[in-house]
Amino acid sequence: MKVLMLSWEYPPKNVGGLAQHVYHLSKALAKHGVEVHVITVGGNDAIPYEDREGVKVHRISPYSLSSPDFRTWILHLNFSLLEYGVTLVNSLKNVDVLHAHDWLVAHAGRALKHSFQLPLVATIHATEYGRNNGLHNDNQRYISDVEWWLTYEAWRVIVCSSYMERELGGFFQLPEDKITVIPNGVNAEDFSTGLGPKRIKHSPPNGEKYIFFIGRLVREKGVQVLLDAAPKILGRFPEARFIVAGTGPYEEHLRARTRERGLEHRVYFAGYVNDQIRNRLFQQSKVAVFPSLYEPFGIVALEAMAAGTPVVVSDTGGLREIVEHGVDGLKCYVGSPDSLADNIMAVLGDPGLAERIKENGYEKAKNKYSWFAVAGKTLHIYEEVIRESGRADWHTDTWMASDPISAVYAKIKNLGRTGVFGQQVH
Ligand code: NHF
């Protein structure tokens, strides 16, 4: 089976959990014997083409035109993806299925689908509506429309939690039989690298207790709730230190809030950290905290569990489904600094509880969430859509003749064949 994935992020470009998802999924699919091609964004030091762990990664450079805004840049990106994709599909000859991740690659996914009459699978990792707790301006409405359109065009839609299944069913009116829930996974081994042969524990200096957050710094990840909870925690545990790793558009706001609360000497913004430093920080921290206001899944919580760090998460979205309160982590009320502080203090003040949830969390992450199993379920979806689409109308000439747009798609397909885009595919 040959699969062509489209994703706007793929390591080394890591914006959020999506890059991790596509990376691990495609690697695990290759282990199942699938030929996986990923077309993604290149640039900087990223290698334009590599065959890594069985996955063929094609990194394109979007046009070097200036873009007035992110939306325009995304459209440019989609044209570049399409140009490369058309030539690649023609050169591979028998691609079986297209797989698009999120609205950012929707236009290219749809055009490739119609040009080659290939079934399109879409994974929706998050929605604009959920991220913003509603749609408040034209930009958000536009993105939401494109998200809906991608789910409409897709033969099947994958989401990573039952929470997301309800969100798409309700908000996009997506029929139940079109959606499949496949949770994300984690590789426990990835969280011991850089810790030395015996995982020697390096304690923070002066008896400090680290409370660790890692993720994109955007409003919905809820770091502001952690900052608001800090004074209460420091009242009982003056040795507490808050480590915030990651970057994002909300960073300035968070730094300002830190200053306003006089927390400059208690909160450390670590910026982007590499895997080794991340693993060290997980190991040194008493607790990892994910106080999201909206969280479709929350791969980071699984990562913390796999790293052997007790977790406190907010009781929402995918986090609610991953963590069992009091067993393998603790859950607090969404957006409540008080509840967050109480749960963090419970872990800091009760080493027995901390040890128990840490052990159970580690076992759960290791045994229940395997990428190989995720890939197996995804492969099953591919097989179904290939079978179903093989019986579909669009393979007949009658359909082609009755739809004027199909002529445009037929042209796109041929442009790639004659090499008119000047793309050199690998
Ligand atoms: O883990 C990968 C990630 C999720 O909850 C996360 C999110 C974006 O917001 O599926 O996608």
Side-chain angles (χ1 to χ4, degrees):
M1 176 174 317
K2 278 189 197 168
V3 178
L4 178 56
M5 290 224 195
L6 303 173
S7 173
W8 89 301
E9 51 171 316
Y10 190 93
K13 179 176 163 61
N14 294 296
V15 180
L18 200 156
Q20 290 307 308
H21 173 100
V22 181
Y23 172 69
H24 288 289
L25 171 65
S26 42
K27 226 167 67 166
L29 278 168
K31 283 199 188 124
H32 279 274
V34 178
E35 183 175 323
V36 189
H37 292 261
V38 180
I39 315 184
T40 188
V41 180
N44 296 335
D45 296 337
I47 306 165
Y49 172 77
E50 61 179 332
D51 188 340
R52 193 167 152 201
E53 296 169 280
V55 181
K56 288 146 184 62
V57 187
H58 307 255
R59 295 192 180 86
I60 56 150
S61 302
Y63 313 125
S64 49
L65 295 170
S66 63
S67 306
D69 51 38
F70 184 61
R71 261 164 60 179
T72 313
W73 186 81
I74 285 296
L75 282 175
H76 291 174
L77 167 66
N78 272 268
F79 275 111
S80 314
L81 286 171
L82 182 57
E83 289 180 10
Y84 193 97
V86 165
T87 316
L88 182 64
V89 176
N90 274 323
S91 77
L92 293 172
K93 293 200 172 57
N94 45 358
V95 168
D96 296 292
V97 59
L98 302 165
H99 190 161
H101 293 267
D102 271 358
W103 72 277
L104 303 127
V105 296
H107 296 79
R110 175 195 141 98
L112 286 171
K113 163 193 160 179
H114 285 290
S115 303
F116 292 94
Q117 298 179 350
L118 288 172
L120 172 68
V121 172
T123 298
I124 301 293
H125 293 268
T127 66
E128 189 67 4
Y129 183 91
R131 276 188 290 265
N132 299 292
N133 198 20
L135 301 174
H136 312 285
N137 56 44
D138 283 347
N139 191 48
Q140 293 171 1
R141 280 187 281 276
Y142 167 81
I143 292 173
S144 186
D145 278 359
V146 180
E147 286 169 348
W148 168 81
W149 183 56
L150 176 60
T151 66
Y152 174 79
E153 287 290 337
W155 203 282
R156 286 286 276 280
V157 175
I158 298 174
V159 290
C160 15
S161 61
S162 304
Y163 170 83
M164 284 301 285
E165 183 182 31
R166 286 193 295 278
E167 191 174 297
L168 297 201
F171 189 60
F172 291 158
Q173 293 291 294
L174 206 60
E176 235 173 71
D177 60 1
K178 208 174 157 175
I179 316 179
T180 306
V181 180
I182 305 180
N184 282 304
V186 70
N187 277 343
E189 318 82 69
D190 294 348
F191 294 87
S192 50
T193 49
L195 299 181
K198 291 194 178 125
R199 302 188 73 166
I200 298 162
K201 204 156 169 70
H202 298 270
S203 299
N206 315 317
E208 290 176 352
K209 290 189 162 78
Y210 286 176
I211 296 167
F212 184 42
F213 167 89
I214 181 164
R216 249 174 331 126
L217 301 184
V218 286
R219 192 198 63 92
E220 74 260 23
K221 298 295 173 192
V223 179
Q224 64 279 19
V225 185
L226 179 61
L227 297 178
D228 293 348
K232 187 170 178 184
I233 299 168
L234 285 162
R236 189 163 147 212
F237 296 97
E239 68 281 26
R241 295 292 177 272
F242 301 84
I243 317 279
V244 176
T247 58
Y250 211 47
E251 181 168 344
E252 255 330 294
H253 174 89
L254 294 170
R255 283 182 183 273
R257 206 156 170 139
T258 305
R259 283 192 298 273
E260 278 160 24
R261 292 192 177 16
L263 293 168
E264 295 99 311
H265 302 297
R266 301 285 184 274
V267 181
Y268 173 61
F269 286 89
Y272 172 81
V273 294
N274 66 25
D275 291 358
Q276 296 203 355
I277 296 178
R278 174 201 64 193
N279 292 354
R280 269 286 162 90
L281 286 167
F282 269 134
Q283 197 213 28
Q284 293 184 335
S285 299
K286 291 281 178 214
V287 56
V289 183
F290 304 105
S292 308
L293 306 178
Y294 171 71
E295 196 63 80
F297 183 80
I299 289 191
V300 272
L302 272 192
E303 294 179 344
M305 287 155 92
T309 311
V311 295
V312 173
V313 302
S314 52
D315 189 13
T316 189
L319 294 172
R320 173 178 288 173
E321 295 165 37
I322 299 172
V323 173
E324 194 178 341
H325 184 70
V327 176
D328 43 40
L330 295 182
K331 289 193 266 201
C332 64
Y333 294 121
V334 183
S336 163
D338 248 349
S339 167
L340 180 61
D342 290 346
N343 280 284
I344 292 175
M345 291 191 301
V347 178
L348 296 184
D350 184 346
L353 171 73
E355 192 57 29
R356 199 171 66 240
I357 61 176
K358 163 184 146 172
E359 286 301 323
N360 292 339
Y362 176 74
E363 288 304 322
K364 188 185 236 180
K366 194 164 150 229
N367 300 324
K368 191 171 164 196
Y369 292 94
S370 117
W371 279 114
F372 191 71
V374 172
K377 290 181 189 154
T378 311
L379 181 52
H380 184 69
I381 302 285
Y382 294 161
E383 284 161 354
E384 276 181 10
V385 301
I386 290 166
R387 214 174 31 246
E388 290 166 10
S389 66
R391 296 196 295 261
D393 248 8
W394 69 8
H395 286 283
T396 66
D397 293 342
T398 350
W399 185 87
M400 291 288 277
S402 65
D403 180 2
I405 296 292
S406 65
V408 177
Y409 289 122
K411 279 218 172 73
I412 292 180
K413 181 173 167 180
N414 279 323
L415 286 178
R417 194 169 284 142
T418 50
V420 78
F421 292 135
Q423 294 283 354
Q424 215 204 338
V425 293
H426 303 275

Short mmCIF file of all heavy atoms in Angstrom, two decimals, residues 17-18 21 125-126 160 184 216 221 295-299, ligand 1:
data_model
loop_
_atom_site.label_atom_id
_atom_site.label_comp_id
_atom_site.label_asym_id
_atom_site.label_seq_id
_atom_site.Cartn_x
_atom_site.Cartn_y
_atom_site.Cartn_z
N GLY A 17 1.80 19.20 18.93
CA GLY A 17 1.67 17.74 18.96
C GLY A 17 1.47 17.13 17.58
O GLY A 17 1.73 15.93 17.37
N LEU A 18 1.02 17.95 16.62
CA LEU A 18 0.74 17.42 15.28
C LEU A 18 2.00 16.82 14.63
O LEU A 18 1.95 15.75 14.03
CB LEU A 18 0.18 18.57 14.43
CG LEU A 18 -0.61 18.24 13.19
CD1 LEU A 18 -1.53 19.41 12.84
CD2 LEU A 18 0.25 17.95 12.01
N HIS A 21 2.68 13.55 16.12
CA HIS A 21 1.70 12.58 15.65
C HIS A 21 2.09 12.04 14.27
O HIS A 21 2.17 10.83 14.06
CB HIS A 21 0.32 13.24 15.60
CG HIS A 21 -0.73 12.39 14.97
ND1 HIS A 21 -1.65 11.67 15.71
CD2 HIS A 21 -1.01 12.11 13.67
CE1 HIS A 21 -2.43 11.00 14.89
NE2 HIS A 21 -2.07 11.26 13.65
N HIS A 125 -7.04 17.46 14.22
CA HIS A 125 -6.35 17.44 15.52
C HIS A 125 -6.97 18.41 16.51
O HIS A 125 -6.85 18.24 17.72
CB HIS A 125 -4.87 17.76 15.33
CG HIS A 125 -4.15 16.68 14.58
ND1 HIS A 125 -3.51 15.64 15.18
CD2 HIS A 125 -4.00 16.47 13.24
CE1 HIS A 125 -2.98 14.84 14.27
NE2 HIS A 125 -3.27 15.32 13.08
N ALA A 126 -7.56 19.47 15.99
CA ALA A 126 -8.18 20.49 16.86
C ALA A 126 -9.07 21.33 15.96
O ALA A 126 -8.91 21.33 14.74
CB ALA A 126 -7.10 21.36 17.49
N CYS A 160 -8.70 12.13 17.64
CA CYS A 160 -7.94 11.37 18.64
C CYS A 160 -8.63 11.22 19.99
O CYS A 160 -8.03 10.67 20.92
CB CYS A 160 -6.53 11.91 18.81
SG CYS A 160 -6.25 13.48 18.15
N ASN A 184 -3.85 9.04 20.26
CA ASN A 184 -2.41 9.15 19.97
C ASN A 184 -1.65 8.10 20.78
O ASN A 184 -2.22 7.42 21.64
CB ASN A 184 -1.92 10.53 20.35
CG ASN A 184 -2.29 11.57 19.32
OD1 ASN A 184 -1.95 11.43 18.15
ND2 ASN A 184 -2.99 12.61 19.73
N ARG A 216 3.09 24.52 23.59
CA ARG A 216 3.00 25.77 22.85
C ARG A 216 2.44 26.83 23.77
O ARG A 216 1.50 26.57 24.53
CB ARG A 216 2.05 25.60 21.67
CG ARG A 216 2.73 25.62 20.33
CD ARG A 216 1.78 25.31 19.19
NE ARG A 216 0.67 24.46 19.55
CZ ARG A 216 -0.61 24.78 19.34
NH1 ARG A 216 -0.93 25.94 18.81
NH2 ARG A 216 -1.58 23.92 19.64
N LYS A 221 -3.69 26.66 26.22
CA LYS A 221 -2.90 25.69 27.01
C LYS A 221 -2.93 26.05 28.50
O LYS A 221 -2.46 25.29 29.34
CB LYS A 221 -1.47 25.58 26.50
CG LYS A 221 -1.37 25.08 25.07
CD LYS A 221 -1.86 23.64 24.89
CE LYS A 221 -1.91 23.23 23.43
NZ LYS A 221 -2.63 21.98 23.17
N GLU A 295 -8.32 20.93 25.04
CA GLU A 295 -7.27 19.96 24.70
C GLU A 295 -7.87 18.75 23.99
O GLU A 295 -8.46 17.88 24.63
CB GLU A 295 -6.54 19.52 25.97
CG GLU A 295 -5.21 18.85 25.70
CD GLU A 295 -4.20 19.76 25.03
OE1 GLU A 295 -3.57 20.58 25.72
OE2 GLU A 295 -4.06 19.65 23.80
N PRO A 296 -7.76 18.71 22.66
CA PRO A 296 -8.35 17.59 21.91
C PRO A 296 -7.82 16.24 22.37
O PRO A 296 -8.55 15.26 22.45
CB PRO A 296 -7.93 17.87 20.48
CG PRO A 296 -7.72 19.33 20.43
CD PRO A 296 -7.19 19.72 21.77
N PHE A 297 -6.53 16.16 22.65
CA PHE A 297 -5.96 14.91 23.15
C PHE A 297 -5.00 15.21 24.31
O PHE A 297 -5.28 14.89 25.44
CB PHE A 297 -5.24 14.13 22.04
CG PHE A 297 -4.71 12.81 22.54
CD1 PHE A 297 -5.54 11.72 22.68
CD2 PHE A 297 -3.38 12.68 22.94
CE1 PHE A 297 -5.07 10.51 23.20
CE2 PHE A 297 -2.90 11.47 23.45
CZ PHE A 297 -3.75 10.39 23.58
N GLY A 298 -3.84 15.81 23.97
CA GLY A 298 -2.86 16.11 25.01
C GLY A 298 -1.73 15.11 25.05
O GLY A 298 -1.46 14.51 26.10
N ILE A 299 -1.02 14.96 23.91
CA ILE A 299 0.11 14.03 23.86
C ILE A 299 1.11 14.32 24.99
O ILE A 299 1.68 13.41 25.58
CB ILE A 299 0.85 14.13 22.50
CG1 ILE A 299 0.01 13.53 21.38
CG2 ILE A 299 2.20 13.42 22.55
CD1 ILE A 299 0.75 13.36 20.06
O1 NHF B 1 -2.30 15.98 21.19
C1 NHF B 1 -1.92 15.73 18.24
C2 NHF B 1 -2.23 17.01 19.01
C3 NHF B 1 -3.04 16.78 20.29
O2 NHF B 1 -4.27 17.92 22.02
C4 NHF B 1 -3.32 18.10 20.99
C5 NHF B 1 -3.66 19.23 20.07
C6 NHF B 1 -3.23 19.18 18.65
O3 NHF B 1 -4.17 20.26 20.50
O4 NHF B 1 -3.06 15.04 17.83
O5 NHF B 1 -2.96 17.86 18.13
#
